[in-house]
Amino acid sequence: MKLTPTPPLKPSHWMTATSLLQQATQPLRGDHDADVVIIGGGFVGLWTALTIKEQEPDARVKVLEQHVCGGGASGRNGGFVMSWWPKIGTLRSFCSEEQARMLGESAEHAITELGTFCERHGIDAHFRQSGWLWTATTPQHVDTWNATLAACERLGVQPFERLEAREVARRTGSSVHLAGVFERSNATVQPALLVEGMRRVALASGIEIHEGTPVQEIQPGQPASVKTAQGRVRARSVVLAVNAWAAALPSLSKLIVPVNSSIVATQAMPERLREIGWTGGESITDSQLMVDYYRTTHDGRIAFGKGTGAISFGSRIGQVFSEDDASLALTEADLRRTYPMLQGIPVEARWSGPIDRTYDSLPVFGRLDGHANIHYGIGWSGNGVGPSRLGGRILASLALGRQDRWSQCPLVERSCRTFPPEPVRYLGGSLVRNAVLRKERSELAGQPPAILDRYLARFAPAGLEDKA
């Protein structure tokens, strides 16, 4: 199976604050043998490598990254460390109650684990566990979380706390928020600093990382062979941890569609944040399908993102996933609408990025084309920072051939709704995306959406949270 290298994405604001771009490891050269070779040096790939080393310290593990670790989605996301409780209804659609609770509790525990990992290894990734506010910014969105809270209660858990409208507006510093619930366990990080720290720990543990090493071909077999421009690795197991780039493989492209998301970051303004009252460090999302997500940073900026949802023909990873002007304009407009009192504060950084969206916005794991020793984990759908810790456990168990709760969890080889082939994929996806955009603009303006837009919006993939 062939893979096509892609150009690097524009470095995000987060990446420029690290040494990742200046201190890359050496590309792979020559012929090598390994127990496990991992393709992709982001959160999923690094967690998989670290977990394998924890379980089998003598295992020979190689990570191959086409650009630099964190150069893909892991170094350009919003840095929200979230659980899977907002998706508990979807989990229950293919899990038993016991399985759903295990995955929900494990994803919540992974947040605290991440903070402990950073503390143990001296990683200053700006980890801050100040919770997450799930809000409504239109009357239509008030109480859309009720079914999710009820599903949690049926499992005997209560991760969410209802807040009065006045309290939501106070905590967020903006009166556009009409209602909300609070999940205390959630955190934020500077994601590229986290990747930088994880790479350092991986190298110190004996994991071999080769950056600047795009993979050209995977040849199945025992062992499998992974070919690059200047080398080759023969390995007992191969792990694909390539996020949205997996859409280049025909058997995986039907499971995900890469959609873009965009972020703008203001100048540092800690005093203005104190003036408007957003001082608790909470991360925030609204309830749009093209979700707005925003948080404050270590140095007092607002990093404001929007799930802008643009796609490309053939799911090619290009400019729309690097710095898309139209998507960034939508994002800044929502920043200004949410915080009109900050109109004079300039935006100092802006970038776009890819999200590997499944139809239900939960990941799927499996064996590529039925090959028992080639594994994948894709479909993080914009919530990979925390759950990637669990993904690393699942992929490590699969790669090592272990029969445990991770290799046998319901996310492995699950049946998923698939996306159509081209050109229906691009034309239909663009049609639905534009309908969602018009529908949500009408709702924000207090106007009823057009009937056709409401109808077409029903075909969009599920969002970050399960909403009624």
Side-chain angles (χ1 to χ4, degrees):
M1 56 199 75
K2 304 285 188 180
L3 293 107
T4 303
T6 60
L9 304 177
K10 171 196 172 183
S12 70
H13 168 75
W14 310 126
M15 288 291 287
T16 59
T18 72
S19 64
L20 290 166
L21 299 170
Q22 291 78 37
Q23 298 180 11
T25 56
Q26 291 298 310
L28 180 78
R29 294 186 176 90
D31 286 0
H32 302 266
D33 294 302
D35 293 305
V36 182
V37 61
I38 298 166
I39 304 172
F43 290 138
V44 179
L46 291 173
W47 280 128
T48 302
L50 288 164
T51 304
I52 290 170
K53 271 295 191 180
E54 287 172 5
Q55 296 180 354
E56 294 193 10
D58 294 332
R60 298 165 299 169
V61 182
K62 283 186 177 290
V63 175
L64 308 182
E65 164 56 48
Q66 69 169 336
H67 301 306
V68 297
C69 289
S74 295
R76 57 197 310 107
N77 59 79
F80 284 44
V81 191
M82 301 178 69
S83 74
W84 275 334
W85 293 125
K87 299 296 295 182
I88 194 64
T90 302
L91 283 169
R92 279 292 291 116
S93 71
F94 61 89
C95 294
S96 68
E97 286 193 1
E98 182 181 2
Q99 291 168 333
R101 178 162 178 165
M102 184 276 285
L103 289 171
E105 290 177 338
S106 296
E108 179 179 328
H109 183 57
I111 302 170
T112 304
E113 277 189 306
L114 178 55
T116 302
F117 177 85
C118 290
E119 184 176 2
R120 181 189 310 130
H121 296 288
I123 301 171
D124 184 12
H126 304 171
F127 179 87
R128 184 173 183 181
Q129 197 165 11
S130 296
W132 165 62
L133 287 162
W134 176 4
T135 72
T137 53
T138 73
Q140 294 93 328
H141 295 157
V142 173
D143 288 337
T144 54
W145 41 75
N146 280 353
T148 297
L149 271 62
C152 288
E153 289 174 6
R154 285 193 293 273
L155 293 178
V157 296
Q158 291 185 312
F160 298 100
E161 173 188 348
R162 292 182 184 272
L163 300 179
E164 297 291 334
R166 186 184 309 171
E167 178 67 4
V168 178
R170 184 189 70 79
R171 289 198 193 189
T172 61
S174 173
S175 61
V176 305
H177 302 102
L178 308 178
V181 293
F182 181 62
E183 187 180 356
R184 190 173 303 277
S185 65
N186 290 12
T188 55
V189 293
Q190 205 280 39
L193 287 175
L194 177 57
V195 174
E196 182 182 49
M198 291 175 67
R199 184 181 71 165
R200 171 173 59 79
V201 174
L203 290 169
S205 69
I207 295 164
E208 298 176 48
I209 299 176
H210 298 280
E211 294 166 295
T213 304
V215 171
Q216 297 179 336
E217 185 178 3
I218 304 172
Q219 294 179 334
Q222 283 288 2
S225 180
V226 177
K227 291 188 172 183
T228 72
Q230 302 178 72
R232 179 176 66 165
V233 183
R234 291 173 296 272
R236 189 179 72 197
S237 294
V238 177
V239 172
L240 285 165
V242 294
N243 198 269
W245 285 259
L249 295 168
S251 57
L252 298 185
S253 66
K254 62 186 179 182
L255 298 177
I256 59 170
V257 61
V259 301
N260 82 344
S261 190
S262 299
I263 299 177
V264 297
T266 68
Q267 72 175 31
M269 50 169 187
E271 291 186 4
R272 293 300 302 275
L273 291 175
R274 284 193 289 272
E275 288 173 7
I276 67 174
W278 188 7
T279 58
E282 303 94 338
S283 57
I284 305 166
T285 68
D286 67 7
S287 296
Q288 295 184 93
L289 185 59
M290 293 176 66
V291 63
D292 286 344
Y293 55 95
Y294 32 112
R295 41 79 60 97
T296 55
T297 67
H298 190 65
D299 57 351
R301 304 173 192 267
I302 292 177
F304 194 103
K306 183 173 181 65
T308 37
I311 60 178
S312 65
F313 189 84
S315 296
R316 298 183 186 93
I317 305 298
Q319 185 65 21
V320 73
F321 302 108
S322 184
E323 186 179 21
D324 184 58
D325 289 339
S327 298
L328 287 161
L330 290 172
T331 305
E332 184 168 353
D334 278 11
L335 163 67
R336 303 302 182 188
R337 177 185 59 81
T338 306
Y339 293 99
M341 73 291 288
L342 302 178
Q343 290 293 340
I345 300 296
V347 164
E348 289 193 345
R350 61 193 75 219
W351 66 95
S352 304
I355 292 175
D356 54 340
R357 176 65 64 81
T358 57
Y359 244 113
D360 64 8
S361 287
L362 283 170
V364 57
F365 301 83
R367 298 160 180 85
L368 185 65
D369 295 331
H371 297 294
N373 62 340
I374 304 177
H375 312 281
Y376 65 84
I378 57 173
W380 300 96
S381 301
N383 182 19
V385 182
S388 62
R389 181 72 182 96
L390 307 187
R393 289 189 171 115
I394 293 169
L395 289 167
S397 289
L398 291 172
L400 295 173
R402 297 192 168 200
Q403 299 297 312
D404 58 22
R405 66 171 180 159
W406 297 113
S407 64
Q408 298 176 339
C409 85
L411 294 169
V412 177
E413 304 286 4
R414 69 188 181 97
S415 177
C416 298
R417 183 178 175 183
T418 59
F419 293 93
E422 297 291 10
V424 175
R425 182 186 183 96
Y426 177 73
L427 297 175
S430 297
L431 183 69
V432 170
R433 183 223 180 208
N434 289 332
V436 171
L437 184 58
R438 291 191 299 269
K439 171 182 175 290
E440 296 191 330
R441 280 176 173 167
S442 296
E443 290 172 346
L444 288 171
Q447 300 170 353
I451 294 174
L452 180 60
D453 289 339
R454 290 205 307 269
Y455 173 76
L456 290 173
R458 294 166 55 194
F459 293 94
L464 185 67
E465 315 100 355
D466 290 334
K467 295 183 280 283

